[in-house]
Amino acid sequence: METIKLELDEKNRGAFNLYVDGKKLGEMTVSLKDAVLTVYHTGVEPEAEGKGYAKLLLNEMTAYVRANGMQIIPLCPYVHAQFKKHPEEYLDIWKK
């Protein structure tokens, strides 16, 4: 069972962390400031690659941003590539 938690420090920096059966297997590092979420990096542990976990993280992050009326700056190569590949899906939240 996968669980994704947004875990931030006091400066609003942290990550959407992906846990499978209690073990952290992936993360999407982010920071929040003034209704803008900046995504820096998406990573999945080698033993968890190829299971769609990066896409799960992306979906959770975009759902969070939409629910909170925010915009995204996609500095992460994976997220940026997804935004460029499917711009119609992310037009409402992509801060260009």
Side-chain angles (χ1 to χ4, degrees), residues 5 9 12 14 18 28 49 51 55 80 84 89 93:
K5 297 179 188 172
D9 66 13
N12 282 334
L18 173 89
M28 181 175 280
E49 289 178 356
K51 296 183 179 179
K55 182 69 171 165
H80 190 256
K84 285 184 75 172
E89 287 183 42
I93 54 174

Side-chain angles (χ1 to χ4, degrees), residues 6 8-14 16 30-40 64-65 68-73 93 95:
L6 175 58
L8 299 171
D9 66 13
E10 66 281 350
K11 294 183 180 180
N12 282 334
R13 297 183 193 138
F16 286 88
V30 300
S31 67
L32 297 168
K33 185 177 180 188
D34 301 328
V36 175
L37 183 141
T38 303
V39 185
Y40 299 101
Y64 176 87
V65 165
N68 290 281
M70 303 174 79
Q71 295 275 291
I72 298 171
I73 299 174
I93 54 174
K95 185 171 178 69

